[in-house]
Amino acid sequence: MSGGGVGRRASLAAVGVMFLAGAAQVPAQTSGFHAEVEGAGRPVPYPVTPADRFMSAIENGTRTGTGEPGPDYWQQYARYDIDARIDTEARRLEGESRIVYFNNSPGALSTLSVKLYQNLHAEGAARHYPQEVTGGFELHRVAVNGQEIRPGREAPRFAVQGTSMPIWLASPLASGDSAILEIDWSFTIPRAGAAGRMGWNDDNLFYLAYWYPHMAVYDDVVGWHDDRFTGRGEFYAGFADYDVRLDVPAGWVVVGTGTLQNHDAVFPPEIRERIRQAEASDEVVNVLTAEDFGPGSATLAPESGRLMWHLRSDRVRDVAYSITRESLWDAARAPVGDRDGDGATDYTRVDAIYRAEAEKWTEAVRYGQHSIAFLSEYLDFPYPWPHMTAVEGEGIIGGGMEYPMMTLIGGYNRASASALYGTIAHEFGHMWMPMTVSSDEVRWAWMDEGSTSFNDTQASNDYYPDNNGSDAGQYAGMVAQGYDGTMMRWTDWEDPAAWGIAAYPKGAAALGALRAILGDEVFQRAYRAYVDSWAWKHPKPWDLFNTFEAVSGEDLDWFWRGWFYERWKLDHAVASVETGSGRTRITIEDRGSLPMPAMVTVTREGGATEVLTVDVDRWLSGARTATLDVPAGAPVVRVELDAGHDFADVDRDNDVWEASG
């Protein structure tokens, strides 16, 4: 349903955990139609109480109760200088990194925390899924402010604790000060590393991700996020600037996060010209063809046999790189809106890098162009970076994995074209969430996966208007089969099936249901306000909740509780339709536990329709049934619940009544 919403109008502040039996006759909001109510008991949602640390953040002025960052909001920052060398034959990577870490918090820090994600592949590592054991990181040198440190009992020292490396400082890092970390490291590259998020493919592709010592997040709500990476929950990362140099054999082409600084030192003139053409072309340009592979064609061919690729990026959560020697490269530009406020349309380059046998990928750039342009407009937030690159990674990954300006996606050669489009739209959509709106994927994967699934459905429905995909239907189908997940349970605490449902289709279905309740206009204002307020910052779930309540003016505790904290099913039913004496009485029954308004489409003889609404307050009173009296008029021939399929009703068979004969 679009247009005016049907939001909650009564506060739940005094409602506790309870089951109400034999509810009283409570007036219902039914769009002007009289309703009577009766029924057996049901669970009633109680108010949502944010975590104590979140409430402390509000008191400290870093968060607000209306969803925006507080006047005293702060976050940490870092600058990385990384030099790395890849041995493609031995499949080894070695690097040196220098990290300047800025303490923008109001307090001094006695410890720092570094993520060592490759230690997922160390012997004996804690992990959710079996992984190739390659040894993880080998640390050759760790220094703080020029002083080399080692494991031990006295500071300054460090300890390797799985995928986390706490560092105890010789003296606290004061507020407003910075520390310099230097780490030399190496590791053997796994074939499908980090649970299929990086690795190598048939000596043609190396995809570098989860590949360097990475500062953990220290934020205003929790402090240090030193959770171990177990292969399920992905990233929670802070923003940083990167200056990266990759030493790679000639003939291997590097495309990755950031802007290449030395085109002239790595590409022949004809390849440089094709890249320039692509950046100004709406039509696809073949930057690299099968005739261009190898040193002297795809890249320059120095006597040393190796090339140094230099890339820089600002204000990103992470960096990842594709290194290929026999992959096609297509590119074109995509409009993103007015990024810099000068009144003119800005563009970004869309790349597709894939093997010749991945035939469906010939359309990948067009899919990417539409995705970037659509989502920039839909979220009213132009794509912020100079390129977005999709890399075909058959043999490493089955679905897709996102990084700033980059994504690794399976081949999809045996899938439909729409499946590849949907995956590209999804992974490109992650550039907004979490790469710009930087949420905590480790604890609440739905904040980026659910939102992005909702967004890619909007993009897919625009690209394939006849498909009209439904997140609600997908989620309801899973629930009907007995599968569900709890969205506010931490990602790593759920079993795999429940985690996947809660993170993806349930999160998307929740946003779709909220849009139907609030109406398109209010929902869009709130959704865009959330993106705008938390771009380049770190929101928590209650920031999103508070934003929607502040913009809509509605108390939505019942919605957050039912959808995000519980595993309650929605099952509205047309229990009976009685006609006679010129009027019709419709009885709606709520057979599930998830309270949602019931939207009832009444069709009269001749085709005229009316939409009646049983407000959610009816069910929140504890009722199980509501009766609607339809005024006299042409005979009612059809009654349907949720005709737009906006809600995740688990039994559609009881949603329709039709007059016999």
Side-chain angles (χ1 to χ4, degrees):
M1 173 180 174
S2 61
V6 284
R8 172 100 197 280
R9 292 167 178 80
S11 172
L12 292 177
V15 180
V17 183
M18 64 185 72
F19 282 78
L20 299 181
Q25 302 290 314
V26 181
Q29 178 68 34
T30 57
S31 303
F33 289 82
H34 171 70
E36 298 174 355
V37 67
E38 59 182 9
R42 61 171 301 146
V44 175
Y46 57 98
V48 169
T49 302
D52 290 344
R53 288 182 174 182
F54 183 86
M55 298 305 294
S56 295
I58 291 179
E59 293 175 4
N60 294 334
T62 59
R63 310 265 161 168
T64 67
T66 54
E68 304 100 338
D72 297 320
Y73 179 82
W74 56 266
Q75 62 191 34
Q76 309 291 62
Y77 207 79
R79 290 180 184 152
Y80 291 79
D81 281 281
I82 301 176
D83 287 275
R85 183 181 190 276
I86 188 169
D87 184 334
T88 54
E89 293 185 1
R91 302 189 182 103
R92 291 276 297 176
L93 188 75
E94 57 185 37
E96 301 175 358
S97 53
R98 181 180 186 271
I99 308 169
V100 183
Y101 182 77
F102 297 90
N103 180 17
N104 296 326
S105 77
L109 300 176
S110 59
T111 62
L112 302 178
S113 184
V114 176
K115 297 289 190 181
L116 303 175
Y117 290 112
Q118 277 297 314
N119 281 358
L120 179 70
H121 298 278
E123 187 73 41
R127 43 190 171 239
H128 273 93
Y129 318 106
Q131 302 288 331
E132 179 184 356
V133 176
T134 55
F137 275 120
E138 300 171 25
L139 300 179
H140 306 296
R141 177 175 177 269
V142 179
V144 178
N145 294 328
Q147 178 183 1
E148 188 166 348
I149 63 174
R150 301 181 183 279
R153 295 192 174 187
E154 296 185 3
R157 65 185 179 93
F158 72 90
V160 175
Q161 300 174 349
T163 57
S164 293
M165 184 175 76
I167 297 173
W168 288 266
L169 301 174
S171 57
L173 178 62
S175 174
D177 204 352
S178 62
I180 299 175
L181 280 66
E182 296 170 289
I183 306 174
D184 298 348
W185 42 270
S186 62
F187 66 91
T188 297
I189 303 170
R191 180 178 176 88
R197 297 179 175 98
M198 57 85 64
W200 53 270
N201 178 354
D202 298 331
D203 296 326
N204 171 60
L205 164 68
F206 285 87
Y207 196 88
L208 298 186
Y210 288 71
W211 65 282
Y212 60 95
H214 196 165
M215 294 301 302
V217 172
Y218 182 83
D219 69 22
D220 63 309
V221 175
V222 174
W224 283 114
H225 286 254
D226 51 8
D227 313 85
R228 295 187 184 185
F229 175 55
T230 61
R232 181 182 298 167
E234 292 170 354
F235 273 125
Y236 181 29
F239 292 103
D241 301 336
Y242 288 82
D243 196 322
V244 178
R245 289 159 294 278
L246 293 173
D247 183 343
V248 174
W252 292 76
V253 175
V254 177
V255 177
T257 307
T259 301
L260 183 64
Q261 302 296 301
N262 60 338
H263 284 80
D264 293 354
V266 293
F267 282 127
E270 56 270 28
I271 303 301
R272 298 201 304 269
E273 177 58 27
R274 292 177 196 171
I275 295 172
R276 284 192 290 267
Q277 290 174 1
E279 290 173 343
S281 174
D282 298 323
E283 300 301 318
V284 175
V285 173
N286 304 126
V287 177
L288 286 179
T289 69
E291 287 72 39
D292 299 313
F293 297 155
S297 295
T299 72
L300 297 177
E303 291 184 7
S304 66
R306 300 188 68 88
L307 292 168
M308 183 71 74
W309 298 72
H310 182 195
L311 298 101
R312 287 180 180 166
S313 48
D314 297 331
R315 198 167 60 172
V316 294
R317 288 174 28 130
D318 189 20
V319 289
Y321 301 97
S322 162
I323 304 171
T324 60
R325 68 174 179 179
E326 291 186 354
S327 285
L328 307 177
W329 178 4
D330 296 342
R333 69 178 186 174
V336 300
D338 184 5
R339 184 191 286 143
D340 53 14
D342 66 356
T345 299
D346 294 303
Y347 295 85
T348 196
R349 192 184 76 230
V350 175
D351 302 315
I353 295 174
Y354 59 98
R355 297 166 303 143
E357 54 265 39
E359 295 178 358
K360 285 189 171 62
W361 277 71
T362 57
E363 295 296 310
V365 167
R366 294 184 178 87
Y367 298 160
Q369 286 175 298
H370 178 268
S371 301
I372 288 289
F374 177 87
L375 292 170
S376 292
E377 181 178 3
Y378 183 75
L379 297 171
D380 194 28
F381 195 99
Y383 178 83
W385 293 302
H387 73 88
M388 181 62 207
T389 300
V391 179
E392 183 251 328
E394 187 78 12
I396 300 175
I397 192 169
M401 180 62 199
E402 69 279 0
Y403 303 90
M405 306 177 224
M406 295 289 291
T407 178
L408 179 69
I409 295 176
Y412 283 83
N413 288 327
R414 292 171 296 280
S416 65
S418 62
L420 179 57
Y421 173 87
T423 302
I424 288 175
H426 183 91
E427 302 306 326
F428 280 29
H430 274 305
M431 297 307 106
W432 285 267
M433 300 171 187
M435 298 308 165
T436 302
V437 180
S438 181
S439 59
D440 181 353
E441 301 176 78
V442 178
R443 285 167 169 77
W444 303 292
W446 62 266
M447 291 189 72
D448 76 292
E449 295 294 359
S451 299
T452 300
S453 296
F454 173 81
N455 294 343
D456 80 55
T457 296
Q458 314 317 306
S460 291
N461 288 345
D462 186 76
Y463 196 80
Y464 296 104
D466 293 337
N467 284 10
N468 195 27
S470 169
D471 295 311
Q474 182 185 18
Y475 168 62
M478 294 177 178
V479 175
Q481 297 178 58
Y483 301 103
D484 200 358
T486 306
M487 292 167 66
M488 288 298 286
R489 180 183 284 270
W490 285 12
T491 300
D492 277 354
W493 291 6
E494 282 279 23
D495 65 66
W499 160 73
I501 293 169
Y504 292 84
K506 187 172 185 177
L511 288 174
L514 187 58
R515 178 178 60 185
I517 291 167
L518 298 178
D520 285 354
E521 191 273 332
V522 173
F523 174 87
Q524 201 73 348
R525 277 198 292 118
Y527 199 35
R528 289 175 171 180
Y530 168 70
V531 173
D532 184 66
S533 293
W534 290 99
W536 318 115
K537 300 179 181 68
H538 300 302
K540 305 296 183 186
W542 308 283
D543 294 308
L544 183 146
F545 300 165
N546 290 338
T547 298
F548 271 95
E549 293 199 353
V551 172
S552 69
E554 301 281 359
D555 177 354
L556 296 168
D557 266 14
W558 60 273
F559 186 87
W560 314 129
R561 175 64 62 187
W563 274 95
F564 290 77
Y565 288 84
E566 306 292 346
R567 299 187 185 192
W568 290 344
K569 296 180 182 179
L570 173 65
D571 185 9
H572 289 163
V574 181
S576 65
V577 178
E578 302 172 19
T579 61
S581 302
R583 73 172 198 171
T584 301
R585 170 164 288 183
I586 303 169
T587 300
I588 305 300
E589 184 175 325
D590 191 351
R591 299 175 180 175
S593 297
L594 180 66
M596 290 287 287
M599 300 179 182
V600 186
T601 300
V602 176
T603 304
R604 297 181 185 269
E605 191 175 275
T609 61
E610 304 157 71
V611 178
L612 318 181
T613 301
V614 178
D615 194 272
V616 71
D617 281 335
R618 181 53 49 94
W619 315 125
L620 296 177
S621 74
R624 280 295 186 184
T625 62
T627 304
L628 305 174
D629 284 337
V630 182
V636 173
V637 296
R638 179 181 171 89
V639 175
E640 182 176 5
L641 292 171
D642 185 26
H645 288 205
D646 296 306
F647 299 154
D649 195 307
V650 299
D651 187 358
R652 290 283 173 187
D653 291 341
N654 59 30
D655 287 355
V656 177
W657 171 90
E658 291 185 320
S660 60

